[in-house]
Amino acid sequence: MAEYEVVHSKSPVFYPIYERKADLKHQTHYCPGCGHGVVHKLIAETIADLDLQDRTIFVSPVGCSVFAYYYFDVGNVQAAHGRASAVATALKRACPESIVIAYQGDGDLAAIGTAEIVHAANRGENITVFFINNAIYGMTGGQMAPTTLVGQTTTTTPWGRRPVNEGYPLRVCELLATLEAPVYIERVALSDNKNIMRARRAIRKAIELQRDGAGFSLVEILSPCPTIWKMTPTEARDWVAENMIRNFPLGVFRDRRLAMPGNGGPPQRSVAEVLGLTSPSLGTEAPAAATPTDTREWKMKIAGFGGQGVLLLGQILAEMGMREGKEVSWLPSYGPEMRSGSAHCHVCLSSQRIGSPLIEHPNVLVAMNEISLRKFAPSVTPGGLILYNRRTVPADLGVSNVRLLPIPAAELADQLGAAKVGNIVMLGALLELTGALSFATAEAVLQATVKNPDLLALDLRALQAGRDWARQLPREVR
Amino acid sequence: MRQLCKGNVAVIQGAVLAGCRAYYGYPITPASEIAEAAAFYLPQVGGVFLQAESEVAAINMVYGAAAAGQRVMTASSGPGISLMQEGLSYLAGAELPCVVVDVVRGGPGLGNIAPEQSDYFALVKGGGHGNYRNLVLAPASVQEMADLTMLAFELADRYRNPAVVLTDGFIGQMMEPLELHARITSPPEKPWAVRGTAATRKNLITSIHLEPDALEAHVRKLEAKYREAQEREPRHELYLAEDAEVLLVGYGIVSRVLRSAAEQAREQGLRVGLFRPITLWPFPVQALREAARDVRAVLVVEMSTGQMVEDVRLALREQAPVHFYSRVGGNVPLAEEVSARIFEWVETAVR
Amino acid sequence: MASEPRGRVQIDPNECKGCGLCIDACPPHCLVFTEELSPYGVHPAHYLGSGCTGCGICFYVCPEPGAIVVYRLSPPPKVISTTEASRAATL
């Protein structure tokens, strides 16, 4: 009596009983003759053969295979419609040692998820995508798919797919093969015994490539959908052979190893280093910090044109205030104004917690150009100070109860040889005229922020120039 | 050490401290500095930053990273948040923790890029499909951008649910001192995650429950979680509220304006206080009722045509008259404007 | 046919959905539908009891993970791995 041994049987990568199903726990939920089951078996066989069961994460799509997790005894993540490649991207990046398989149908991958598959492929994500193309929406009952053939009748193409209305079937492999990053793209078909065995080799290769860290691979599988096609399983299989393959030629569209350029990423540092938390306990206070004795509230508006250093001047003032132990806020104008070239910012300096950082009525206005002067001068509080970036003020400017001082900051900066330090000249004048913050702090902030020694020297000269100009102003205007 | 920091950057500094090691996002003004900061910081500490092809892809990448148990976040503004709503529903349905920051801009449609508070309904009331809630925190300063982002990660993990930091263009764009405390946290163990390991092989992340009874059981489980959050998590801040005859209610940047408005009104002899919800969901109902017990009127100010005010009215019912004042389109109300409005109402009431 | 068939197929009527793909694909035509209906109301496939070569084609065309078990006479003619054996056998 001869001995028989098992050569083909249910893969251990499938659950023995489909506990996650409500009923019919021995059968899949797929229709008789459906291609999904065949592909599932080929994938399971590869996972088992390559000993990857513990490492595999299977991302199931929306479509008939939404319930692939009923069957695969691997880690399972179910994704939103069309997003399996995006979900797979993040899973793989979170778990580089895992084997991430995204399993998607034609509606999922080639209609709603077109962007996600193109970009996952283009990034060369080291994932494996199995794309089941049956030219129809199965789960939802037979609507047109992006891969529906010209002339093919579906519930949403009752007169057949007409290119004039719906365009032509989308050829995913050809599309993705235009990209640089994918390493393996092949189209196979479940049309006959021979092609099923080709599909088996392609599926195996795609998973092996991921295991070896090669990069993105996709296998498109032309697959029968007898129920929705209204055919018997054998008719459907033959329809794949006779009609689908003619429209979707089989073959290898990409098969190459790609050496991506070196990653060029940053050196790795600790969180404390990266965030500047030098001490493991609390950080130390900035050296210049002191208990504020000045209880004046400063509400400064700095306004001008893009490139005049308006926002930076505000930031320097806020940084100085913080170092002197004040409460500070800096609020930039952003939005359409920022795009059209003019800019302003609000700086509050206070000994108290700051309420609104938005200043309607500043007590100091720095106007770096005439437009800003005319726009904001009327809003300055009585007794406030306006510093204007010119030698003279416009004669027709009707503001009263404020000190309006012309400070030719740009001119002084030009004399120093760099127009861009006009804002620092203005800072020097502002500090001299208000006494809001100390020169020592200004120098400390500049030293801390300006790394180039030549630029720093220039800034310090500009600061002094502004200060000197303000000092020589007649006492009565100061 | 105090550093002068932009609100949007503070979000990422807080996230890095909270153990966030993945960011998937798509640029949009006025939230882009969050993505830029993530691109700078995360790769230095072994994290992932990826600029996705769209907000739709980004939120689904968040879903994937969360499924793997990573602390993960994204950030956007109105139009991008609209695109993420389906993903948020999936995240809540699959019980995946994540943090989403919305730096709200003017809407509807393309609107503008100036600050508004018009995404309250979209995030506090849900926005996506189905029975779920987001945990929603509303920072009012740069410091809170970091602190509440850290809290958001904790709450997201505690409830296995998306947590949202709902802020606006002003808080995102402004700079204030930020002090980071070096209590570097690491995420809790997540035995439910799918990581491609023997230990996690049995795990399943999904939001589908085909049988009505199964889905009802799942939704009831979520509901119980949300009820627990409603009991444990409401947070608020009071300012000058003890003796107030008029109580201002506002969140985020508006609360800052109202702080100034309350001070101004007090200078003019009217006892005005402020109630600031820190959690918008769960809404601090009890605390608001207590704060409003002895007031003559409540004034809600929002940069929307009236969204949070509905929750205030629900909370207070007939306890006190609720007035509403708003600016929209990117206009931020001024303190002067609000205090003038208070006096108008008080005079009307006296007459 | 005095010698034992080289292979044997076992089809589980509780898993077979009666699609008939295996019957159509079987090179030696040794699979047929049963007369009786299965508990699910279909005519499952069934091995005639002779003629099987153990090629495994029925296994690969069958969409059900566990419906078909293929046996082969032991020892196999060549000593190769299971997967290699199935590949060699089917092409």
Side-chain angles (χ1 to χ4, degrees), chain B residues 289-324:
Chain B
R289 289 185 66 79
E290 279 157 34
R293 192 180 298 135
D294 300 320
V295 303
R296 289 163 58 197
V298 169
L299 173 57
V300 178
V301 181
E302 280 183 84
M303 294 184 330
S304 81
T305 50
Q307 301 195 8
M308 181 188 69
V309 66
E310 292 190 1
D311 280 333
V312 173
R313 289 198 170 115
L314 270 176
L316 294 179
R317 297 193 286 274
E318 300 304 317
Q319 192 181 315
V322 175
H323 301 283
F324 180 63

Side-chain angles (χ1 to χ4, degrees), chain A residues 55-60 75-79 83-102 123 125-127 210, chain B residues 22 24 48 50 60-70 72 96 192-196 200 203 205:
Chain A
R55 287 169 60 190
T56 299
I57 302 175
F58 192 99
V59 183
S60 52
N76 277 286
V77 177
Q78 203 289 311
R83 319 302 170 211
S85 306
V87 172
T89 291
L91 282 162
K92 183 71 182 187
R93 286 171 180 243
C95 311
E97 295 304 312
S98 65
I99 299 295
V100 179
I101 294 172
R123 290 188 301 263
E125 299 292 343
N126 187 27
I127 60 174
Q210 181 182 172
Chain B
Y24 294 95
V48 177
L50 184 62
N60 284 284
M61 290 171 181
V62 166
Y63 181 96
Q70 270 188 317
V72 57
L96 292 177
W192 48 263
V194 173
R195 299 195 52 80
T200 64
N203 292 345
I205 300 297

